Amino acid sequence: MSVPPEEGAWLEAADGKRHPIHGSCSLGRTAANTIVLESPKVSRRHALIHLQNIGEPWLIDFGSSNGTFLNKRRIHQPIRLSDGDQITIGDEVFKFRQPLAISDEYKTVVTQRTLREIENIPCWLLVADIRDFTRLSRRMQSEDLDVLLGAWIFSCKEIIENQHGIINKYLGDGFLAYWRDAATSPEDIVAVISALKELQRKERPEFRLVVHFGAVAIGGVASMGEESLMGGEVNLIFRLEKLAGSLGEPCCLSETAHTTLHGLVPTRSLGEFELKGFEGKCAFFAL
């Protein structure tokens, strides 16, 4: 039977019931989840399937006690899904379906169309990632690492969403989040930074974060239930995150973020740096 394109992606339960996935689909025991699973083996907020990069499905565990399994193997960090994958949560087994894979050609067409149709929108961007994740994964038992990483992702997600931000991409051991400036005050961003810095003080896991402010091309794909962020400012924050890592700094601001926050947070200058692919030098600040 052919599958119409509008169906996109879904989870298929053992009884054949389909659960459509648009943007993000959460699974867990509480009624707040997209898919509610009543088994005592399932955590209150257990896992998430998130569409990003124009229809790429990623599976994320939220540090659940009993884990999330992909093709009978417990996942250790956010992982890309493929059509036909088996997902096990508690006693429930689902088959992930996305029979019409999103081709690179289609992504290119959507990106080009989006860049023609939408103006750049001022946004706050935040990238966070775990420091030296490879070393951490070698040192810890896999199940302990699963719980640590998942709990960290869930805590960060709550902090960001409490201030009306959106996690746009999960990056294995980190994520990219954003806020549209029109609906966000500098004080909202300060609240996010303060909460994440408090999380940093717990030291498990150690992570760094970088905040930037700039004009971003935002393109929505209605059938995917997601927004894609594009443009030089997105590339810039990832360059800055690598710079923060090389400097050993846990929390940094770009020059535009520093200026826009109007001295609401104490900072120190790290100097000016040349970044590959960008003209001139960029000032960088530590928090």
Side-chain angles (χ1 to χ4, degrees):
M1 180 182 70
S2 62
V3 181
E6 61 269 19
E7 291 207 29
W10 69 90
L11 284 182
E12 190 170 298
D15 61 3
K17 182 178 180 181
R18 290 182 175 186
H19 301 275
I21 299 171
H22 300 292
S24 287
C25 173
S26 61
L27 302 97
R29 219 171 56 241
T30 67
N33 290 284
T34 312
I35 300 176
V36 178
L37 305 174
E38 297 180 351
S39 168
K41 296 179 181 178
V42 175
S43 297
R44 293 167 57 82
R45 295 292 298 272
H46 195 106
L48 179 77
I49 297 174
H50 182 74
L51 295 178
Q52 60 192 49
N53 296 336
I54 310 180
E56 284 184 8
W58 285 65
L59 176 64
I60 300 104
D61 180 81
F62 283 145
S64 61
S65 300
N66 294 310
T68 299
F69 293 79
L70 176 62
N71 299 324
K72 300 184 179 179
R73 299 184 65 177
R74 186 168 182 163
I75 65 171
H76 303 310
Q77 62 192 92
I79 189 168
R80 173 84 179 269
L81 291 170
S82 298
D83 181 45
D85 279 343
Q86 182 188 90
I87 298 169
T88 306
I89 296 176
D91 298 321
E92 298 283 345
V93 179
F94 298 94
K95 180 178 285 189
F96 174 76
R97 297 305 320 273
Q98 191 185 40
L100 298 177
I102 308 301
S103 68
D104 290 338
E105 181 182 2
Y106 175 77
K107 290 182 183 181
T108 300
V109 170
V110 169
T111 300
Q112 290 174 344
R113 187 180 70 222
T114 298
L115 289 172
R116 288 196 304 268
E117 290 178 355
I118 200 166
E119 295 180 355
N120 285 350
I121 298 173
C123 288
W124 291 93
L125 301 174
L126 184 150
V127 167
D129 79 326
I130 293 175
R131 298 166 67 183
D132 204 355
F133 181 73
T134 301
R135 181 175 60 85
L136 182 68
S137 62
R138 288 172 180 164
R139 196 175 71 233
M140 294 186 68
Q141 296 270 348
S142 62
E143 289 189 7
D144 293 337
L145 180 63
D146 300 343
V147 172
L148 177 68
L149 178 59
W152 173 74
I153 289 174
F154 182 71
S155 296
C156 291
K157 185 173 184 286
E158 278 201 316
I159 289 169
I160 287 160
E161 292 180 351
N162 283 344
Q163 295 299 330
H164 313 294
I166 298 170
I167 292 184
N168 179 254
K169 293 180 184 177
Y170 292 91
L171 306 165
D173 57 353
F175 58 84
L176 166 66
Y178 74 103
W179 294 255
R180 292 177 182 239
D181 180 52
T184 308
S185 70
E187 288 77 12
D188 292 332
I189 300 303
V190 170
V192 172
I193 292 171
S194 297
L196 289 174
K197 282 178 69 67
E198 182 61 33
L199 196 60
Q200 282 181 328
R201 293 187 189 101
K202 296 181 180 180
E203 297 183 349
R204 280 178 61 84
E206 294 183 357
F207 68 97
R208 67 179 149 262
L209 64 106
V210 175
V211 177
H212 176 50
F213 180 79
V216 178
I218 299 183
V221 183
S223 64
M224 299 299 169
E226 65 163 294
E227 289 184 319
S228 294
L229 308 186
M230 294 160 284
E233 304 301 326
V234 177
N235 296 334
L236 177 59
I237 193 171
F238 284 108
R239 294 283 188 198
L240 292 174
E241 188 277 326
K242 289 185 181 299
L243 176 59
S246 69
L247 297 172
E249 293 290 345
C251 185
C252 295
L253 293 178
S254 71
E255 184 172 5
T256 51
H258 178 263
T259 301
T260 310
L261 288 177
H262 305 300
L264 290 173
V265 288
T267 63
R268 59 184 168 84
S269 174
L270 294 170
E272 294 186 337
F273 301 86
E274 292 184 356
L275 298 173
K276 185 178 180 181
F278 294 89
E279 294 183 4
K281 291 187 176 181
C282 299
F284 206 34
F285 300 86
L287 283 167

